[in-house]
Amino acid sequence: ARGAYIIAAARTEQSAADTLRELAIDGTPVTCELSDLASVRGAIQSVLNTGRPLDGILANAGIMALPTLTQKDGIELQFYVNHIGHFVLVNGLVDALTPNGRVVILSSGAHFYAAQSGLELDNVSGERNYDAWRMYGRSKLANIHYAKGLNARFAGTNRPANAVHPGVIDTNLGRHVPDKQAMYENLKKRVRLKTIPQGAATQCYVATH
């Protein structure tokens, strides 16, 4: 609606291309597997190769509530994908932002699951007392700290960074929850679930308003 040109990242270029085609968007598909830093760096280069200045970066992928401890490079996978992968991606692209360019980091109200334990930087492996939701909350808390850190870095410029809770949305993000449907039915008793377009609108609002 704003006339934006979309560079869409997904785990495979084909997936990104299929989504652009499904939504009738003229854009560039890019491969970005956040659990593989070589892939992330490749995505950075692909974006820079377009030569397009970036009006906004939406860091909005993620995984949630892995039932058993899973690691990559010795780091708990939710922290790796949700924070480290995005950290490397955004830092690699931030110099391509326009003077008024924005960064939107998708966090979650689930960061409260880590309210007592914090970031646990002495437990990045996740091996100490692993809990699926606490580890997810930690990654979302890291997203918030990263947005705050970017804002400090952007001081004196017109570039803002924001961390956003998009709402509770029934998507494939919950695929690792043992009883996903029961979880969402329980949530419906307490909050109003959003549709996928409504959830997407939250981050788009922050990126454009």
Side-chain angles (χ1 to χ4, degrees):
R2 292 291 189 99
Y5 185 88
I6 304 299
I7 301 173
R11 285 193 173 104
T12 66
E13 185 175 329
Q14 187 62 54
S15 178
D18 289 347
T19 300
L20 288 170
R21 185 163 47 252
E22 177 186 342
L23 299 176
I25 293 172
D26 177 25
T28 297
V30 170
T31 301
C32 184
E33 170 53 70
L34 288 166
S35 67
D36 180 352
L37 295 188
S39 175
V40 175
R41 294 185 180 101
I44 293 167
Q45 196 55 55
S46 294
V47 173
L48 296 178
N49 286 346
T50 68
R52 291 179 175 272
L54 303 178
D55 294 297
I57 301 171
L58 280 67
N60 60 2
I63 55 177
M64 182 178 77
L66 302 186
T68 58
L69 174 61
T70 308
Q71 298 173 327
K72 178 67 184 291
D73 299 333
I75 298 171
E76 192 274 321
L77 193 61
Q78 293 180 89
F79 191 78
Y80 198 105
V81 170
N82 298 352
H83 172 58
I84 294 174
H86 282 119
F87 180 89
V88 173
L89 179 67
V90 174
N91 281 353
L93 294 174
V94 76
D95 288 341
L97 279 172
T98 63
N100 296 307
R102 299 182 177 195
V103 176
V104 182
I105 309 288
L106 263 285
S107 181
S108 169
H111 77 275
F112 284 114
Y113 294 143
Q116 297 299 318
S117 55
L119 291 177
E120 297 183 63
L121 296 180
D122 59 345
N123 186 33
V124 292
S125 69
E127 293 174 352
R128 188 179 70 231
N129 190 26
Y130 179 78
D131 177 83
W133 287 106
R134 191 179 93 255
M135 292 293 99
Y136 178 65
R138 173 177 72 163
S139 72
K140 296 289 97 182
L141 181 61
N143 291 153
I144 295 172
H145 279 294
Y146 181 41
K148 290 172 68 69
L150 278 174
N151 265 322
R153 179 175 169 184
F154 291 159
T157 75
N158 291 321
R159 293 174 173 175
N162 288 283
V164 178
H165 171 56
V168 181
I169 310 148
D170 186 352
T171 71
N172 202 35
L173 179 66
R175 63 189 177 277
H176 297 294
V177 177
D179 194 342
K180 172 187 171 187
Q181 206 52 48
M183 177 185 74
Y184 283 115
E185 287 302 320
N186 184 51
L187 284 168
K188 283 179 185 177
K189 299 173 184 176
R190 294 183 284 138
V191 297
R192 180 173 175 266
L193 266 61
K194 289 186 175 184
T195 65
I196 290 173
Q198 288 170 337
T202 315
Q203 56 191 291
C204 290
Y205 177 85
V206 173
T208 59
H209 188 276

